[in-house]
């Protein structure tokens, strides 16, 4: 977490300026000789992803480098939403539509976790504040699409 970037703007004094991914690789070999897959190595991958929240530039009043970071964060979240929507539509329709994994570094890194036989869980963090109703609804809408 030492490379995690944090900044301050009008809406948040400790705003995360990047996404964070922690990946754990696991392997296991059954040791019971009576097991049908005895001696067969099994592999797993567990990814924990902390997404930086989307921001409205006009609300945060970001400028310069922070504005570029905001634009990049919003772009990667948008591409992630497109990838998830495409995968959902493709599975429902049984088609082989192109999934835009390469449109963002985030989706490229998460490609094997989003598609195939992976199981994915999204936890959306929302504010109980009545001042943040728009942001909370936006977060819930994003999570619902996923």
């Amino acid at each position: 977490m030492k490379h995690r970037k944090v900044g301050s703007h009008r809406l948040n004094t400790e705003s995360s300026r990047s996404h964070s991914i922690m990946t754990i690789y696991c392997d296991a070999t059954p040791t019971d000789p009576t097991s049908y897959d005895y001696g067969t190595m099994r592999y797993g991958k567990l990814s924990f992803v902390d997404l930086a929240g989307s921001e409205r530039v006009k609300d945060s009043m970001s400028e310069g480098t922070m504005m570029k970071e905001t634009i990049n964060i919003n772009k990667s979240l948008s591409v992630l939403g497109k990838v998830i929507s495409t995968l959902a539509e493709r599975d429902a329709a049984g088609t082989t539509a192109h999934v835009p994994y390469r449109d963002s570094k985030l989706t490229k890194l998460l490609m094997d976790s989003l598609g195939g036989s992976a199981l994915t869980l999204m936890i959306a963090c929302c504010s109980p504040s009545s001042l943040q109703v728009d942001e909370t609804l936006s977060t819930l809408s994003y999570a619902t699409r996923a």
Side-chain angles (χ1 to χ4, degrees):
M1 298 303 278
K2 64 182 176 180
H3 298 292
R4 185 104 167 134
K5 190 158 185 189
V6 177
S8 177
H9 56 71
R10 183 173 167 235
L11 298 176
N12 192 342
T13 58
E14 291 186 33
S15 175
S16 173
R17 307 310 304 155
S18 61
H19 305 304
S20 179
I21 302 173
M22 180 177 74
T23 304
I24 299 171
Y25 294 93
C26 311
D27 55 49
T29 304
T31 56
D32 180 3
T34 61
S35 175
Y36 76 93
D37 57 351
Y38 174 71
T40 303
M41 182 74 77
R42 288 184 274 170
Y43 301 93
K45 176 181 173 184
L46 187 60
S47 296
F48 296 93
V49 182
D50 180 16
L51 299 173
S54 65
E55 297 174 359
R56 291 184 180 89
V57 175
K58 71 175 186 170
D59 293 340
S60 67
M61 299 183 125
S62 298
E63 295 177 339
T65 302
M66 195 165 282
M67 185 165 94
K68 288 179 185 176
E69 291 169 350
T70 299
I71 291 167
N72 287 332
I73 289 167
N74 290 344
K75 180 185 177 225
S76 66
L77 290 171
S78 175
V79 172
L80 178 60
K82 286 180 188 176
V83 165
I84 292 169
S85 293
T86 302
L87 287 168
E89 290 169 9
R90 186 176 80 165
D91 289 346
T95 64
T96 57
H98 170 71
V99 181
Y101 292 116
R102 293 184 179 168
D103 290 357
S104 152
K105 289 179 187 177
L106 175 67
T107 52
K108 180 69 174 148
L109 288 169
L110 296 176
M111 183 167 61
D112 61 342
S113 297
L114 294 170
S117 61
L119 298 175
T120 304
L121 170 69
M122 179 181 286
I123 299 172
C125 297
C126 301
S127 171
S129 170
S130 60
L131 300 173
Q132 301 299 326
V133 170
D134 290 341
E135 290 298 320
T136 297
L137 291 175
S138 175
T139 299
L140 292 173
S141 173
Y142 186 88
T144 300
R145 284 183 296 161

